[in-house]
Structures are given as structure tokens and as C-alpha cells.
Amino acid sequence: MPNRKRPAPIHPDLESIMFTEAEIKERVRTLGTELRNTYGAGEFTMISIINGAVMFTADLMREIDNPVRLDCVRISSYGDRTMSDGAPQIVSSLTIDIADRHVLVIDDILDTGRTLTLITGLIRKLKPASLRVCVLLDKEERRQVPFKADFVGFRIPNKFVVGYGLDFAERYRNLPCIGVLKTQIQGTLEWA
Ligand code: IMP
Ligand code: MG
């Protein structure tokens, strides 16, 4: 038997795969190098925006050997829709001190820019030594408030994607790849 690994079958709710597990892994590894180039061997504090950034944060922090502190903030999200329409709100806030610390905010995706504008505005008031933002995906076309991340995994077109932490109505976060959700699924909410 040839020892070739078969590609995983595509999830039936996905229209296409945008990034495979291997592509994500490779990009997260190189993002680790970019962080290392910026922070050197120094300590920094990662603030992960949950739930979406859970997997990205977990993988990214294992790509660096700097001393890191971790905290999470939870933001009210889309609910069951695929378009964010209102102002995001903080549901659960920081629990560690970040004054005079080098802070890196981590999110899964930069979309309208509202979430990261809100979070970085609040963090800046707490007087960190520095503040940077790292996102896995950037959907620049959808921006409603100007926002640029310091580190971007992939720039993507305006498609609703799920997997690797990203959800639709809390589903699909556990897919190892990132894929475009079928439009007919986006209109189906009876199980949500
Ligand atoms: P923003 O405030 O509009 O930039 O929204 C950012 C948040 O919206 C992300 O942290 C995600 O939770 C969610 N989001 C935006 N686009 C997508 C997508 O394509 N799939 C899943 N979640 C998304
Ligand atoms: Mg999110």
C-alpha cells in the first residue's frame, strides 16, 4: 500500500476550502518568526479575543519561546447572523494588569474593524508600554472604521468563512481548515 496521506474530505457545509490545515500551520509558524523579530526575546502579554481566536492563540503561543502572559476578553458577537450590524460590547473583561506591559491583541478576523477599535481603545487607556494587534485573517473590503493590524496571517476576499476557531452560530469552530460556508447554510438557522 502506498503510504500517501489522502486529503481530508471537504465538510458538506463548505463551498470551498480557503486554507488547509497545513497552510494555516505554516503561516502561524512564520507569524511566530515575525513576532520574534519584533519583540526579540522579551516578555509580552497576549490578549486573546474569545471565542474566535482560541485556536489561533493556542497555536501561535506555541510558536514562540518568549515569556508570555495570557488573558482573554469576550465580546458580544454576531449572534446567529453573518453580518455584524451593531456596536460590539465587552462581555468579559481583562483580569491581569497590563500597565507598562507590551501588549499583543489577538483576533481571528478583522472585518468591519469595530471590535478591535473598541478593544484597543480600552487597552490604550490602561497605559501599556506598547500595543500591537495580530489577526489571522483580514477582510479589508468590509472595513467600516479605519483599522490596520500590525501582523496579518492572510488577507482574504469578502466571503463568510468558518473553521479554525471561526464560527457560524457557534458551529464549525472545530474544523481544522478554514472554508467558505455555503450560502444556503447561512440562511438556515433552525438548529441554531
Ligand atoms: P469586526 O468588529 O466587524 O471587525 O468583527 C470581528 C469579528 O466578527 C471577528 O472576531 C469574528 O468573530 C466575526 N467575523 C467577521 N467575519 C467573519 C467570518 O467570515 N466568519 C466568522 N466570523 C466572522
Ligand atoms: Mg471573534
Side-chain angles (χ1 to χ4, degrees):
M1 273 261 284
N3 191 17
R4 253 182 300 133
K5 206 177 162 195
R6 276 175 211 274
I10 183 166
H11 189 287
D13 295 353
L14 295 184
E15 185 181 288
S16 60
I17 290 179
M18 197 177 270
F19 302 109
T20 63
E21 187 176 1
E23 285 165 341
I24 298 168
K25 196 172 168 43
E26 176 56 20
R27 184 63 186 116
V28 172
R29 199 180 62 74
T30 56
L31 276 173
T33 309
E34 290 179 32
L35 292 180
R36 180 70 189 212
N37 291 342
T38 299
Y39 290 100
E43 182 187 90
F44 58 95
T45 300
M46 291 180 151
I47 297 179
S48 176
I49 305 181
I50 55 172
N51 297 327
V54 161
M55 303 208 185
F56 179 40
T57 305
D59 287 345
L60 186 62
M61 60 192 299
R62 283 176 290 181
E63 290 296 340
I64 50 168
D65 50 16
N66 299 51
V68 285
R69 301 158 83 228
L70 174 68
D71 204 354
C72 298
V73 285
R74 183 185 293 276
I75 306 293
S76 61
S77 71
Y78 287 176
D80 295 339
R81 301 172 313 271
T82 55
M83 289 292 188
S84 87
D85 46 11
Q89 291 185 344
I90 298 202
V91 179
S92 164
S93 201
L94 289 175
T95 60
I96 61 174
D97 179 32
I98 56 161
D100 298 322
R101 304 286 187 162
H102 295 287
V103 171
L104 179 68
V105 175
I106 301 172
D107 204 0
D108 51 359
I109 184 166
L110 175 51
D111 187 38
T112 64
R114 288 200 182 115
T115 303
L116 282 162
T117 299
L118 172 79
I119 300 269
T120 53
L122 291 169
I123 290 175
R124 220 168 262 121
K125 287 191 189 148
L126 301 172
K127 306 259 185 281
S130 68
L131 176 57
R132 294 186 179 89
V133 171
C134 176
V135 292
L136 180 64
L137 306 175
D138 185 357
K139 243 194 248 183
E140 214 164 355
E141 260 178 77
R142 289 251 312 149
R143 209 72 92 248
Q144 287 174 14
V145 289
F147 195 96
K148 282 206 184 308
D150 301 274
F151 305 93
V152 175
F154 303 103
R155 292 178 208 281
I156 66 164
N158 184 11
K159 301 265 185 196
F160 193 83
V161 290
V162 293
Y164 194 67
L166 291 132
D167 75 307
F168 171 62
E170 290 307 321
R171 302 285 172 108
Y172 311 108
R173 292 196 197 274
N174 58 328
L175 299 184
C177 65
I178 293 172
V180 179
L181 191 65
K182 284 183 179 165
T183 38
Q184 60 266 40
I185 303 285
Q186 294 179 31
T188 317
L189 283 173
E190 61 269 14
W191 39 259

